[in-house]
Amino acid sequence: MLRDKRGQVPATVQDIANWVDARFADDIVFLEEIEYDLEVAVPTLSQPGKARACVAVMDAAKIHPLAVEAELAELLEFLGSEPSKTRSAGQKAVQAWTLMKSRLSREV
């Protein structure tokens, strides 16, 4: 995807092309860090910490809420069916989800 976007940048101004290349390199490193968190760090957590960590990772990665809406709805339903401590965490996850959606709608 980034290669396609890079191909759309005119190469007429070398400073701009260099900046775009550096920016894409930073984005790739950031996404690799997110991938590491999801594959290594998050699975070691237990619920509800795992749910909070997933929402935080999605927020940091600027994942559009519609892309994961079904999964989050399922997670929130699961958390809502747990005892009171987990219900409280589910409510916090809903609050985080709502905040993330509102931030993204303002950025778009």
Side-chain angles (χ1 to χ4, degrees):
M1 179 179 78
L2 291 177
R3 283 189 190 104
D4 292 340
K5 287 186 179 278
R6 176 61 182 97
Q8 296 173 4
V9 175
T12 55
V13 180
Q14 192 57 43
D15 288 341
I16 293 174
N18 291 341
W19 181 87
V20 169
D21 289 341
R23 174 63 193 262
F24 283 178
D26 286 347
D27 288 347
I28 290 168
V29 169
F30 176 72
L31 291 172
E32 288 173 348
E33 291 170 350
I34 294 292
E35 180 182 28
Y36 174 85
D37 286 345
L38 288 172
E39 290 179 354
V40 178
V42 173
T44 64
L45 301 172
S46 59
Q47 293 295 4
K50 187 182 284 188
R52 282 195 295 270
C54 285
V55 170
V57 166
M58 288 184 297
D59 185 38
K62 301 299 181 214
I63 295 174
H64 196 281
L66 292 178
V68 291
E69 187 170 19
E71 291 83 356
L72 284 174
E74 187 176 311
L75 172 65
L76 294 174
E77 183 179 328
F78 169 78
L79 290 175
S81 68
E82 292 294 307
S84 61
K85 186 174 183 180
T86 305
R87 184 170 296 125
S88 174
Q91 290 171 348
K92 290 195 180 289
V94 168
Q95 291 169 352
W97 170 247
T98 304
L99 178 63
M100 185 173 70
K101 284 193 329 187
S102 70
R103 284 182 185 165
L104 287 174
S105 65
R106 283 185 274 168
E107 292 176 9
V108 177

mmCIF file of all heavy atoms in Angstrom, residues 52-89:
data_model
loop_
_atom_site.group_PDB
_atom_site.id
_atom_site.type_symbol
_atom_site.label_atom_id
_atom_site.label_comp_id
_atom_site.label_asym_id
_atom_site.label_seq_id
_atom_site.Cartn_x
_atom_site.Cartn_y
_atom_site.Cartn_z
ATOM 1 N N ARG A 52 -8.402 -3.692 27.348
ATOM 2 C CA ARG A 52 -7.942 -2.299 27.385
ATOM 3 C C ARG A 52 -6.720 -2.106 26.492
ATOM 4 O O ARG A 52 -6.605 -1.110 25.783
ATOM 5 C CB ARG A 52 -7.635 -1.878 28.816
ATOM 6 C CG ARG A 52 -8.866 -1.553 29.625
ATOM 7 C CD ARG A 52 -8.509 -0.807 30.901
ATOM 8 N NE ARG A 52 -7.723 -1.604 31.818
ATOM 9 C CZ ARG A 52 -8.220 -2.391 32.760
ATOM 10 N NH1 ARG A 52 -9.527 -2.483 32.908
ATOM 11 N NH2 ARG A 52 -7.429 -3.069 33.565
ATOM 12 N N ALA A 53 -5.797 -3.070 26.535
ATOM 13 C CA ALA A 53 -4.583 -2.976 25.715
ATOM 14 C C ALA A 53 -4.931 -2.999 24.235
ATOM 15 O O ALA A 53 -4.348 -2.255 23.437
ATOM 16 C CB ALA A 53 -3.621 -4.107 26.064
ATOM 17 N N CYS A 54 -5.891 -3.835 23.844
ATOM 18 C CA CYS A 54 -6.300 -3.897 22.436
ATOM 19 C C CYS A 54 -6.910 -2.579 21.985
ATOM 20 O O CYS A 54 -6.597 -2.085 20.898
ATOM 21 C CB CYS A 54 -7.286 -5.042 22.214
ATOM 22 S SG CYS A 54 -6.517 -6.661 22.223
ATOM 23 N N VAL A 55 -7.753 -2.000 22.801
ATOM 24 C CA VAL A 55 -8.372 -0.716 22.444
ATOM 25 C C VAL A 55 -7.292 0.369 22.354
ATOM 26 O O VAL A 55 -7.303 1.190 21.435
ATOM 27 C CB VAL A 55 -9.479 -0.336 23.447
ATOM 28 C CG1 VAL A 55 -9.953 1.089 23.226
ATOM 29 C CG2 VAL A 55 -10.642 -1.303 23.338
ATOM 30 N N ALA A 56 -6.336 0.344 23.286
ATOM 31 C CA ALA A 56 -5.257 1.337 23.253
ATOM 32 C C ALA A 56 -4.404 1.182 21.996
ATOM 33 O O ALA A 56 -4.026 2.176 21.371
ATOM 34 C CB ALA A 56 -4.386 1.201 24.501
ATOM 35 N N VAL A 57 -4.114 -0.052 21.612
ATOM 36 C CA VAL A 57 -3.329 -0.296 20.403
ATOM 37 C C VAL A 57 -4.089 0.186 19.171
ATOM 38 O O VAL A 57 -3.515 0.828 18.289
ATOM 39 C CB VAL A 57 -2.961 -1.795 20.281
ATOM 40 C CG1 VAL A 57 -2.450 -2.129 18.894
ATOM 41 C CG2 VAL A 57 -1.925 -2.170 21.327
ATOM 42 N N MET A 58 -5.382 -0.111 19.103
ATOM 43 C CA MET A 58 -6.181 0.337 17.967
ATOM 44 C C MET A 58 -6.233 1.858 17.894
ATOM 45 O O MET A 58 -6.160 2.435 16.811
ATOM 46 C CB MET A 58 -7.587 -0.248 18.030
ATOM 47 C CG MET A 58 -7.618 -1.722 17.724
ATOM 48 S SD MET A 58 -9.280 -2.398 17.680
ATOM 49 C CE MET A 58 -9.821 -2.138 19.355
ATOM 50 N N ASP A 59 -6.333 2.501 19.041
ATOM 51 C CA ASP A 59 -6.365 3.961 19.062
ATOM 52 C C ASP A 59 -5.026 4.523 18.588
ATOM 53 O O ASP A 59 -4.987 5.433 17.772
ATOM 54 C CB ASP A 59 -6.708 4.458 20.467
ATOM 55 C CG ASP A 59 -6.870 5.960 20.530
ATOM 56 O OD1 ASP A 59 -7.420 6.560 19.587
ATOM 57 O OD2 ASP A 59 -6.435 6.550 21.550
ATOM 58 N N ALA A 60 -3.939 3.956 19.093
ATOM 59 C CA ALA A 60 -2.610 4.436 18.705
ATOM 60 C C ALA A 60 -2.358 4.235 17.217
ATOM 61 O O ALA A 60 -1.733 5.076 16.565
ATOM 62 C CB ALA A 60 -1.535 3.717 19.521
ATOM 63 N N ALA A 61 -2.845 3.123 16.673
ATOM 64 C CA ALA A 61 -2.620 2.819 15.263
ATOM 65 C C ALA A 61 -3.618 3.525 14.350
ATOM 66 O O ALA A 61 -3.538 3.394 13.128
ATOM 67 C CB ALA A 61 -2.685 1.309 15.027
ATOM 68 N N LYS A 62 -4.553 4.258 14.924
ATOM 69 C CA LYS A 62 -5.581 4.980 14.161
ATOM 70 C C LYS A 62 -6.391 4.044 13.270
ATOM 71 O O LYS A 62 -6.691 4.339 12.113
ATOM 72 C CB LYS A 62 -4.963 6.095 13.310
ATOM 73 C CG LYS A 62 -4.209 7.119 14.110
ATOM 74 C CD LYS A 62 -5.098 7.826 15.108
ATOM 75 C CE LYS A 62 -4.328 8.872 15.893
ATOM 76 N NZ LYS A 62 -4.781 9.008 17.244
ATOM 77 N N ILE A 63 -6.734 2.880 13.848
ATOM 78 C CA ILE A 63 -7.583 1.940 13.134
ATOM 79 C C ILE A 63 -9.000 2.489 13.142
ATOM 80 O O ILE A 63 -9.533 2.839 14.198
ATOM 81 C CB ILE A 63 -7.531 0.548 13.790
ATOM 82 C CG1 ILE A 63 -6.119 -0.016 13.663
ATOM 83 C CG2 ILE A 63 -8.569 -0.391 13.174
ATOM 84 C CD1 ILE A 63 -5.905 -1.304 14.385
ATOM 85 N N HIS A 64 -9.606 2.560 11.977
ATOM 86 C CA HIS A 64 -10.965 3.098 11.896
ATOM 87 C C HIS A 64 -11.916 2.149 12.616
ATOM 88 O O HIS A 64 -11.871 0.941 12.403
ATOM 89 C CB HIS A 64 -11.388 3.279 10.441
ATOM 90 C CG HIS A 64 -12.587 4.154 10.323
ATOM 91 N ND1 HIS A 64 -13.860 3.701 10.573
ATOM 92 C CD2 HIS A 64 -12.702 5.462 10.027
ATOM 93 C CE1 HIS A 64 -14.722 4.692 10.422
ATOM 94 N NE2 HIS A 64 -14.036 5.770 10.085
ATOM 95 N N PRO A 65 -12.774 2.672 13.480
ATOM 96 C CA PRO A 65 -13.674 1.824 14.265
ATOM 97 C C PRO A 65 -14.539 0.881 13.433
ATOM 98 O O PRO A 65 -14.817 -0.233 13.859
ATOM 99 C CB PRO A 65 -14.557 2.826 15.021
ATOM 100 C CG PRO A 65 -13.779 4.083 15.039
ATOM 101 C CD PRO A 65 -12.929 4.086 13.802
ATOM 102 N N LEU A 66 -14.943 1.298 12.254
ATOM 103 C CA LEU A 66 -15.786 0.427 11.436
ATOM 104 C C LEU A 66 -15.046 -0.823 10.979
ATOM 105 O O LEU A 66 -15.666 -1.851 10.718
ATOM 106 C CB LEU A 66 -16.326 1.190 10.226
ATOM 107 C CG LEU A 66 -17.325 2.300 10.547
ATOM 108 C CD1 LEU A 66 -17.753 3.011 9.276
ATOM 109 C CD2 LEU A 66 -18.524 1.765 11.298
ATOM 110 N N ALA A 67 -13.718 -0.755 10.916
ATOM 111 C CA ALA A 67 -12.935 -1.908 10.474
ATOM 112 C C ALA A 67 -12.966 -3.045 11.490
ATOM 113 O O ALA A 67 -12.756 -4.197 11.128
ATOM 114 C CB ALA A 67 -11.493 -1.491 10.202
ATOM 115 N N VAL A 68 -13.234 -2.732 12.750
ATOM 116 C CA VAL A 68 -13.216 -3.755 13.803
ATOM 117 C C VAL A 68 -14.491 -3.732 14.643
ATOM 118 O O VAL A 68 -14.529 -4.273 15.740
ATOM 119 C CB VAL A 68 -11.979 -3.581 14.713
ATOM 120 C CG1 VAL A 68 -10.709 -3.916 13.968
ATOM 121 C CG2 VAL A 68 -11.926 -2.182 15.301
ATOM 122 N N GLU A 69 -15.533 -3.128 14.109
ATOM 123 C CA GLU A 69 -16.757 -2.956 14.886
ATOM 124 C C GLU A 69 -17.350 -4.286 15.349
ATOM 125 O O GLU A 69 -17.752 -4.425 16.507
ATOM 126 C CB GLU A 69 -17.786 -2.179 14.075
ATOM 127 C CG GLU A 69 -19.017 -1.829 14.873
ATOM 128 C CD GLU A 69 -19.921 -0.857 14.142
ATOM 129 O OE1 GLU A 69 -19.801 -0.723 12.911
ATOM 130 O OE2 GLU A 69 -20.744 -0.239 14.814
ATOM 131 N N ALA A 70 -17.395 -5.270 14.475
ATOM 132 C CA ALA A 70 -17.983 -6.572 14.846
ATOM 133 C C ALA A 70 -17.191 -7.220 15.972
ATOM 134 O O ALA A 70 -17.770 -7.734 16.937
ATOM 135 C CB ALA A 70 -18.037 -7.492 13.631
ATOM 136 N N GLU A 71 -15.857 -7.189 15.879
ATOM 137 C CA GLU A 71 -15.020 -7.788 16.910
ATOM 138 C C GLU A 71 -15.172 -7.067 18.245
ATOM 139 O O GLU A 71 -15.245 -7.693 19.303
ATOM 140 C CB GLU A 71 -13.548 -7.785 16.479
ATOM 141 C CG GLU A 71 -13.241 -8.722 15.341
ATOM 142 C CD GLU A 71 -13.542 -8.140 13.960
ATOM 143 O OE1 GLU A 71 -14.068 -7.002 13.871
ATOM 144 O OE2 GLU A 71 -13.279 -8.847 12.973
ATOM 145 N N LEU A 72 -15.233 -5.736 18.199
ATOM 146 C CA LEU A 72 -15.388 -4.985 19.441
ATOM 147 C C LEU A 72 -16.760 -5.202 20.054
ATOM 148 O O LEU A 72 -16.887 -5.288 21.276
ATOM 149 C CB LEU A 72 -15.136 -3.497 19.198
ATOM 150 C CG LEU A 72 -13.668 -3.124 19.045
ATOM 151 C CD1 LEU A 72 -13.543 -1.659 18.666
ATOM 152 C CD2 LEU A 72 -12.884 -3.414 20.298
ATOM 153 N N ALA A 73 -17.779 -5.297 19.231
ATOM 154 C CA ALA A 73 -19.116 -5.550 19.765
ATOM 155 C C ALA A 73 -19.151 -6.900 20.468
ATOM 156 O O ALA A 73 -19.723 -7.029 21.560
ATOM 157 C CB ALA A 73 -20.151 -5.498 18.641
ATOM 158 N N GLU A 74 -18.499 -7.895 19.872
ATOM 159 C CA GLU A 74 -18.437 -9.229 20.485
ATOM 160 C C GLU A 74 -17.657 -9.180 21.800
ATOM 161 O O GLU A 74 -18.072 -9.776 22.802
ATOM 162 C CB GLU A 74 -17.764 -10.197 19.509
ATOM 163 C CG GLU A 74 -17.775 -11.635 19.952
ATOM 164 C CD GLU A 74 -17.177 -12.527 18.877
ATOM 165 O OE1 GLU A 74 -17.563 -12.413 17.702
ATOM 166 O OE2 GLU A 74 -16.302 -13.334 19.239
ATOM 167 N N LEU A 75 -16.542 -8.466 21.796
ATOM 168 C CA LEU A 75 -15.741 -8.330 23.016
ATOM 169 C C LEU A 75 -16.536 -7.631 24.114
ATOM 170 O O LEU A 75 -16.547 -8.074 25.268
ATOM 171 C CB LEU A 75 -14.463 -7.549 22.719
ATOM 172 C CG LEU A 75 -13.613 -7.168 23.929
ATOM 173 C CD1 LEU A 75 -13.057 -8.414 24.608
ATOM 174 C CD2 LEU A 75 -12.501 -6.229 23.517
ATOM 175 N N LEU A 76 -17.215 -6.556 23.760
ATOM 176 C CA LEU A 76 -17.989 -5.823 24.753
ATOM 177 C C LEU A 76 -19.142 -6.667 25.289
ATOM 178 O O LEU A 76 -19.462 -6.601 26.481
ATOM 179 C CB LEU A 76 -18.502 -4.505 24.164
ATOM 180 C CG LEU A 76 -17.401 -3.493 23.825
ATOM 181 C CD1 LEU A 76 -18.004 -2.287 23.116
ATOM 182 C CD2 LEU A 76 -16.627 -3.083 25.050
ATOM 183 N N GLU A 77 -19.745 -7.466 24.433
ATOM 184 C CA GLU A 77 -20.808 -8.362 24.885
ATOM 185 C C GLU A 77 -20.241 -9.389 25.871
ATOM 186 O O GLU A 77 -20.828 -9.664 26.913
ATOM 187 C CB GLU A 77 -21.436 -9.078 23.690
ATOM 188 C CG GLU A 77 -22.589 -9.981 24.066
ATOM 189 C CD GLU A 77 -23.192 -10.659 22.849
ATOM 190 O OE1 GLU A 77 -23.186 -10.058 21.764
ATOM 191 O OE2 GLU A 77 -23.673 -11.799 23.007
ATOM 192 N N PHE A 78 -19.090 -9.941 25.553
ATOM 193 C CA PHE A 78 -18.440 -10.907 26.436
ATOM 194 C C PHE A 78 -18.107 -10.271 27.785
ATOM 195 O O PHE A 78 -18.396 -10.827 28.841
ATOM 196 C CB PHE A 78 -17.164 -11.463 25.788
ATOM 197 C CG PHE A 78 -16.322 -12.255 26.740
ATOM 198 C CD1 PHE A 78 -16.676 -13.551 27.071
ATOM 199 C CD2 PHE A 78 -15.184 -11.711 27.301
ATOM 200 C CE1 PHE A 78 -15.912 -14.290 27.957
ATOM 201 C CE2 PHE A 78 -14.412 -12.433 28.189
ATOM 202 C CZ PHE A 78 -14.775 -13.730 28.517
ATOM 203 N N LEU A 79 -17.498 -9.093 27.738
ATOM 204 C CA LEU A 79 -17.132 -8.425 28.984
ATOM 205 C C LEU A 79 -18.368 -8.073 29.810
ATOM 206 O O LEU A 79 -18.330 -8.106 31.028
ATOM 207 C CB LEU A 79 -16.310 -7.168 28.698
ATOM 208 C CG LEU A 79 -14.896 -7.406 28.177
ATOM 209 C CD1 LEU A 79 -14.248 -6.082 27.810
ATOM 210 C CD2 LEU A 79 -14.058 -8.154 29.192
ATOM 211 N N GLY A 80 -19.457 -7.743 29.139
ATOM 212 C CA GLY A 80 -20.684 -7.413 29.837
ATOM 213 C C GLY A 80 -21.319 -8.595 30.530
ATOM 214 O O GLY A 80 -22.076 -8.436 31.488
ATOM 215 N N SER A 81 -21.001 -9.813 30.106
ATOM 216 C CA SER A 81 -21.592 -11.008 30.709
ATOM 217 C C SER A 81 -20.780 -11.535 31.887
ATOM 218 O O SER A 81 -21.193 -12.462 32.567
ATOM 219 C CB SER A 81 -21.731 -12.113 29.658
ATOM 220 O OG SER A 81 -20.456 -12.573 29.269
ATOM 221 N N GLU A 82 -19.630 -10.936 32.132
ATOM 222 C CA GLU A 82 -18.762 -11.369 33.232
ATOM 223 C C GLU A 82 -19.211 -10.731 34.557
ATOM 224 O O GLU A 82 -20.045 -9.840 34.577
ATOM 225 C CB GLU A 82 -17.318 -10.970 32.920
ATOM 226 C CG GLU A 82 -16.726 -11.740 31.760
ATOM 227 C CD GLU A 82 -16.560 -13.210 32.080
ATOM 228 O OE1 GLU A 82 -15.954 -13.546 33.103
ATOM 229 O OE2 GLU A 82 -17.050 -14.024 31.284
ATOM 230 N N PRO A 83 -18.645 -11.190 35.669
ATOM 231 C CA PRO A 83 -18.980 -10.593 36.982
ATOM 232 C C PRO A 83 -18.691 -9.093 37.036
ATOM 233 O O PRO A 83 -18.121 -8.531 36.118
ATOM 234 C CB PRO A 83 -18.083 -11.357 37.953
ATOM 235 C CG PRO A 83 -17.741 -12.613 37.257
ATOM 236 C CD PRO A 83 -17.745 -12.291 35.781
ATOM 237 N N SER A 84 -19.029 -8.473 38.140
ATOM 238 C CA SER A 84 -19.032 -7.016 38.248
ATOM 239 C C SER A 84 -17.694 -6.362 37.913
ATOM 240 O O SER A 84 -17.669 -5.307 37.293
ATOM 241 C CB SER A 84 -19.473 -6.593 39.649
ATOM 242 O OG SER A 84 -18.564 -7.110 40.609
ATOM 243 N N LYS A 85 -16.571 -6.938 38.300
ATOM 244 C CA LYS A 85 -15.284 -6.323 37.993
ATOM 245 C C LYS A 85 -15.089 -6.247 36.481
ATOM 246 O O LYS A 85 -14.652 -5.233 35.947
ATOM 247 C CB LYS A 85 -14.149 -7.122 38.633
ATOM 248 C CG LYS A 85 -12.802 -6.480 38.491
ATOM 249 C CD LYS A 85 -11.762 -7.252 39.283
ATOM 250 C CE LYS A 85 -10.428 -6.559 39.197
ATOM 251 N NZ LYS A 85 -9.397 -7.269 39.942
ATOM 252 N N THR A 86 -15.447 -7.293 35.790
ATOM 253 C CA THR A 86 -15.318 -7.298 34.341
ATOM 254 C C THR A 86 -16.367 -6.387 33.711
ATOM 255 O O THR A 86 -16.105 -5.752 32.699
ATOM 256 C CB THR A 86 -15.426 -8.730 33.791
ATOM 257 O OG1 THR A 86 -14.460 -9.524 34.459
ATOM 258 C CG2 THR A 86 -15.188 -8.779 32.313
ATOM 259 N N ARG A 87 -17.541 -6.314 34.293
ATOM 260 C CA ARG A 87 -18.576 -5.406 33.780
ATOM 261 C C ARG A 87 -18.061 -3.973 33.836
ATOM 262 O O ARG A 87 -18.241 -3.202 32.888
ATOM 263 C CB ARG A 87 -19.867 -5.554 34.581
ATOM 264 C CG ARG A 87 -21.000 -4.691 34.019
ATOM 265 C CD ARG A 87 -22.339 -5.016 34.652
ATOM 266 N NE ARG A 87 -22.711 -6.379 34.322
ATOM 267 C CZ ARG A 87 -23.014 -7.319 35.230
ATOM 268 N NH1 ARG A 87 -23.008 -7.031 36.508
ATOM 269 N NH2 ARG A 87 -23.326 -8.534 34.858
ATOM 270 N N SER A 88 -17.392 -3.650 34.922
ATOM 271 C CA SER A 88 -16.810 -2.316 35.044
ATOM 272 C C SER A 88 -15.770 -2.091 33.949
ATOM 273 O O SER A 88 -15.718 -1.021 33.337
ATOM 274 C CB SER A 88 -16.169 -2.157 36.422
ATOM 275 O OG SER A 88 -15.492 -0.936 36.518
ATOM 276 N N ALA A 89 -14.952 -3.115 33.688
ATOM 277 C CA ALA A 89 -13.953 -2.990 32.622
ATOM 278 C C ALA A 89 -14.641 -2.859 31.271
ATOM 279 O O ALA A 89 -14.172 -2.119 30.397
ATOM 280 C CB ALA A 89 -13.019 -4.190 32.631
#
